[in-house]
Amino acid sequence: MVTRKSRDEIEKMRRAGRIVGEVLALMEEELKPGITTAQLDAAAEAYIRKAGGRPSFKGYQGFPASICVSIDDEVVHGIPGPRVIEEGQVVSVDVGAIWQGYHGDAARTFYVGTAPEKVAGLITTTRLALQAGIAAAVPGAHIEDISAAVEEVASEGGYGIIRQYVGHGIGTAMHEDPQVPNYRTGRRGLELVPGICLAIEPMLAMGGYECETLADRWTVVTVDHSLAAHFEHTIAVTEQGPQVLTAA
Ligand code: MG
């Protein structure tokens, strides 16, 4: 079921989203060689709780942590633990927070150190694909317009677009209808009207788009072990156009 949020509900989502945006800014500061992914997780959880929120990922279908940290060929859902961050890694951090019952969800990919040109291209293109998807989320457009905008940017760079995982509606649940694919499906999908809130989240790989889940039942990696990047924002469709709710 697709729900339209009231102005008041969108303001609550903006509060949740601001917490998420601030946590991602904190992660960027903390992400240095020598820190463990469990330490990043602890810092994120402390920040969310201090801000009056709750981490939405913790306990979600049994997920054991507050954030996902996915490194190099890991696309999404990496579990924080004793792994130590090293120079030269591609690190994707996904954060979700609930504030007064409303969710915010966002992700960014960082490079530890100065990225080689090819890797910087992957990361930048994923960010630009997200921006293009957001810009397409105007009243009167359809889900397919978002998918096409993301696909156009991603395929220009020749990157693999992950198909197994897609964006989603968001509100009082982290995952609501509709799904938001990062590639054209040939179906127009839902017409966007003010009050629809979406998490748009392109995931791109340097190589092919095929993924598999590791034995931990969470971590998703590219089958060809090529590097992957992931950017996500929660947005609201408004009369004035799309509004990013997860800005810092
Ligand atoms: Mg999401």
Side-chain angles (χ1 to χ4, degrees):
M1 192 184 72
V2 176
T3 59
R4 290 177 67 174
K5 280 76 180 176
S6 67
R7 195 166 297 195
D8 180 55
E9 288 178 295
I10 290 173
E11 286 317 306
K12 285 178 176 166
M13 291 184 65
R14 201 189 306 278
R15 277 291 290 270
R18 194 191 308 148
I19 297 171
V20 169
E22 288 171 358
V23 169
L24 283 167
L26 174 67
M27 294 295 100
E28 186 175 22
E29 278 172 36
E30 298 283 320
L31 193 67
K32 303 239 164 60
I35 196 166
T36 68
T37 56
Q39 286 173 313
L40 292 172
D41 180 62
E45 178 169 2
Y47 193 97
I48 292 169
R49 294 197 188 278
K50 202 175 155 206
R54 279 191 299 119
S56 4
F57 299 172
K58 196 158 204 178
Y60 180 81
Q61 293 181 3
F63 190 77
S66 296
I67 60 173
C68 300
V69 184
S70 308
I71 300 175
D72 292 337
D73 63 340
E74 297 172 1
V75 183
V76 284
H77 305 163
I79 304 173
R83 192 161 175 192
V84 176
I85 294 295
E86 292 169 23
E87 178 106 21
Q89 286 176 331
V90 174
V91 182
S92 300
V93 182
D94 197 342
V95 179
I98 311 166
W99 191 82
Q100 292 199 0
Y102 287 83
H103 287 256
D105 188 4
R108 281 169 66 186
T109 296
F110 307 100
Y111 187 85
V112 187
T114 306
E117 203 176 322
K118 268 184 76 174
V119 182
L122 170 71
I123 294 172
T124 303
T125 301
T126 312
R127 187 170 51 76
L128 294 177
L130 170 59
Q131 282 179 9
I134 293 171
V138 296
H142 291 251
I143 293 295
E144 182 81 331
D145 297 309
I146 299 175
S147 303
V150 169
E151 184 185 290
E152 196 166 306
V153 173
S155 53
E156 250 172 56
Y159 300 106
I161 302 172
I162 307 302
R163 304 174 77 89
Q164 217 170 319
Y165 298 89
V166 296
H168 48 91
I170 181 168
T172 54
M174 182 162 57
H175 294 118
E176 297 184 358
D177 289 334
Q179 293 198 341
V180 186
N182 295 305
Y183 52 90
R184 288 181 182 84
T185 62
R187 293 182 299 273
R188 294 178 83 193
L190 179 76
E191 182 180 343
L192 302 178
V193 292
I196 286 179
C197 294
L198 303 170
I200 303 176
E201 50 176 327
M203 289 151 256
L204 304 187
M206 199 74 100
Y209 62 77
E210 280 182 72
C211 294
E212 61 189 2
T213 305
L214 297 183
D216 65 14
R217 299 189 307 124
W218 282 104
T219 312
V220 175
V221 299
T222 53
V223 169
D224 61 10
H225 298 298
S226 66
L227 298 174
H230 177 208
F231 278 82
E232 175 180 25
H233 269 309
T234 298
I235 64 126
V237 178
T238 76
E239 284 90 349
Q240 291 79 37
Q243 277 185 18
V244 173
L245 303 179
T246 37

